[in-house]
Amino acid sequence: MEHKKEIFADGIGQIHFAGGMVRFDFVTLQPNEDGSAPTPVVNERIIMPPQGFLGAFNSMQQLIDKLLEAGVLQKNEQAK
């Protein structure tokens, strides 16, 4: 059985285009000793060609549509 690595991220800190590739910086929220709001820290970077990015975006949009349909997410009509 093949071992698959799981990566957890609280979100994406930044997406940028450099060197002909799309780069996603995934962050985790790290607590601060003073009790202030957690600080996002980059812990992984995914780099993919523009076509791969477009395919990933389309897959995410399809999943968002299914989650909206199932009532898991709600559309924010005020978002722009």
Side-chain angles (χ1 to χ4, degrees):
M1 188 162 131
E2 186 180 329
H3 174 73
K4 294 188 180 186
K5 181 179 177 184
E6 286 190 19
I7 298 171
F8 173 82
D10 287 301
I12 297 174
Q14 189 175 48
I15 301 175
H16 52 281
F17 185 72
M21 297 287 187
V22 177
R23 298 158 192 266
F24 293 83
D25 289 338
F26 288 89
V27 299
T28 55
L29 299 177
Q30 300 301 315
N32 292 309
E33 290 182 18
D34 63 5
S36 61
T39 303
V41 175
V42 174
N43 66 350
E44 293 287 340
R45 174 176 281 170
I46 304 293
I47 303 168
M48 63 178 66
Q51 270 313 112
F53 168 72
L54 185 58
F57 178 82
N58 288 335
S59 294
M60 287 184 237
Q61 186 62 60
Q62 289 172 5
L63 180 56
I64 289 168
D65 293 343
K66 288 178 184 175
L67 293 172
L68 286 167
E69 219 174 272
V72 175
L73 297 176
Q74 293 181 0
K75 248 186 185 174
N76 183 352
E77 297 297 337
Q78 295 180 1
K80 296 194 180 214

